[in-house]
Amino acid sequence: MMPARASAPGKVILLGEHAVVYGQPALAVPVTHVQATATVTPLPAGTADIWIEAQDLGRRYPLAAAHPQDPLAVAARLVLERCAPGAARPGFTLSVRSTIPIASGLGSGAAVCTAVVRALAAALGQAPDAAAVSDLVYETEKLLHGTPSGIDNTVIAYGQPVFFVRGQPPEPFRVAAPFQLLIADTGLASPTKVAVGDVRAAWQREPAPFQARFDAIGALVRAARAHLEAGQPEALGPLMTRNHTLLRELTVSCAELDALVDAAQAAGALGAKLSGGGRGGNMIALVTAATAARVETALRQAGATRVLATRVGTEDR
Ligand code: PMV
C-alpha cells in the first residue's frame, strides 16, 4: 500500500432535474472551484487498523466502528472488496476534507466519496476508470437519497459536462464556448429525497400534466445541449428560465428560490433557475463579464447566503 491523494469537483445541474427521474435527459457540469480531497496514509507495519478522519467535522473513528450507513465507510469497504479482496494489508488513515458546501445540491456527498474511491484505489495500485468510479459512488448515493438517478456521481466521476439519461451510459460532451454561472444559495437545507417523493405523489395523482412537464423539460435539455456544442451558450438563458417555470409547476421551487431567480433576471442575467432538488438549496444564473458583478449584488440583496462564481467550458471541459 502506498500513500495516495485524490480530489473531485462539485457539480451543478444545468437543466433537467426531477424530469431525469422519469427518463428524461439532464445536463450537469462539474464545478471545479470547489473540491473534495481524500488522502490515504499507511500506518506503520504491524498496525492493521483503518481510521477515517473527517477533517471538516473534526471526527476520527475506526472503520470497524463506523455506522453501517456511513458513506465514507461504505465507499472504503467497497473499494477494499473490489480492489484487494481478502488481501492482508497494513492499517491506514483515510482523511477527507472538502470546500464544497454541504446539503445544497452541489454534490458534496458524491464528491467526497469519489475522492475516497480514487485515493484508496490508487493506494492499492489501481486506477479505475470514470465509469467504475461512478458505479461505486452510486452505491453510496443510494444510502443518502433512496433511488437517485445517478447524475451526481456521473458528472463528478467523469469531471466533464454530461448529457445524462437514467440507466444509459452517460454522454460527456464538449462545451464549445465557455460561459459563466453564478451559484447562489438560499441558505435553506432541503432534503432532495422529500422533494422527489412529493413530485412522485403529485405525478401519481395527476399523471398527464406532470408527464407533459417532464417531456417539456426533456425538450429544453436537448435544445440546450445543441446550443452548448454549437458555441452558443447565451442561448441557454431563456431555456433555463423556462425550466424554472416548469420546476415551479412541479412544486419544487419556493419563495426564496423564486426571489433569487427574479432578482437575477432583473439585474441582467441571461437566465436563471433553481438547481438540484429545489425547495431550498441553490439556484444558478447565467451571466456575462459585463453583468456578473451586478447580478451577484442583486442576489445578495435578495437573500443569497453565499454566491459562487464558476466558468464552464474552459480548458478541455
Ligand atoms: O439535489 P441534487 O443536486 O442531488 O439533485 C437532485 C436531482 C434530482 O433530479 C431532483 C434527483 C435525482 O436523483 O436525479
Side-chain angles (χ1 to χ4, degrees):
M1 178 161 236
M2 307 165 267
R5 169 173 296 197
S7 296
K11 73 99 202 1
V12 285
I13 298 179
L14 283 185
L15 296 117
E17 53 275 269
H18 286 287
V20 72
V21 174
Y22 299 84
Q24 295 295 330
L27 295 184
V29 296
V31 177
T32 50
H33 297 69
V34 285
Q35 295 272 333
T37 306
T39 309
V40 176
T41 311
L43 294 172
T47 329
D49 293 345
I50 298 172
W51 288 86
I52 296 180
E53 210 171 67
Q55 288 186 23
D56 306 314
L57 307 176
R59 290 186 59 211
R60 181 179 157 85
Y61 50 95
L63 176 64
H67 188 277
Q69 300 224 314
D70 175 335
L72 298 176
V74 171
R77 287 201 185 98
L78 281 171
V79 178
L80 292 170
E81 276 161 25
R82 306 260 167 112
C83 295
R89 69 186 94 77
F92 60 88
T93 300
L94 171 65
S95 186
V96 297
R97 65 195 156 79
S98 170
T99 57
I100 306 172
I102 57 169
S104 60
L106 293 180
S108 82
V112 166
C113 289
T114 300
V116 164
V117 167
R118 290 219 177 99
L120 194 45
L124 295 165
Q126 304 209 12
D129 64 13
V133 172
S134 178
D135 286 351
L136 283 175
V137 176
Y138 184 64
E139 296 303 312
T140 66
E141 287 282 285
K142 285 199 274 192
L143 297 173
L144 297 173
H145 298 305
T147 51
S149 64
I151 191 167
D152 280 23
N153 47 286
T154 302
V155 63
I156 289 169
Y158 281 75
Q160 288 178 63
V162 291
F163 177 88
F164 177 87
V165 179
R166 184 175 196 162
Q168 294 183 16
E171 296 176 35
F173 69 96
R174 190 161 176 278
V175 169
F179 61 92
Q180 225 177 313
L181 288 179
L182 296 179
I183 306 169
D185 198 338
T186 58
L188 302 175
S190 168
T192 294
K193 208 171 175 172
V194 174
V196 169
D198 289 353
V199 172
R200 181 164 298 276
W203 168 70
Q204 281 164 346
R205 275 194 307 273
E206 293 180 78
F210 274 73
Q211 190 57 51
R213 291 173 189 125
F214 299 147
D215 294 346
I217 291 173
L220 295 176
V221 169
R222 290 188 190 87
R225 176 184 178 170
H227 286 306
L228 291 178
E229 288 182 322
Q232 299 154 344
E234 61 294 337
L236 208 61
L239 304 179
M240 288 168 60
T241 304
R242 174 77 190 125
N243 194 169
H244 183 74
T245 302
L246 288 161
L247 286 162
R248 282 183 59 167
E249 291 172 12
L250 295 181
T251 76
V252 294
S253 192
C254 63
E256 291 82 354
L257 281 166
D258 290 345
L260 294 182
V261 167
D262 291 348
Q265 303 233 83
L270 295 169
K273 63 181 277 292
L274 72 85
S275 177
R279 305 254 176 96
N282 279 284
M283 56 75 72
I284 54 176
L286 181 66
V287 293
T288 61
T291 58
R294 196 164 69 232
V295 175
E296 178 169 352
T297 304
L299 286 168
R300 290 190 195 280
Q301 283 169 352
T305 55
R306 178 182 40 230
V307 182
L308 297 175
T310 193
R311 226 171 128 75
V312 181
T314 44
E315 297 132 36
D316 56 341
R317 298 200 166 87

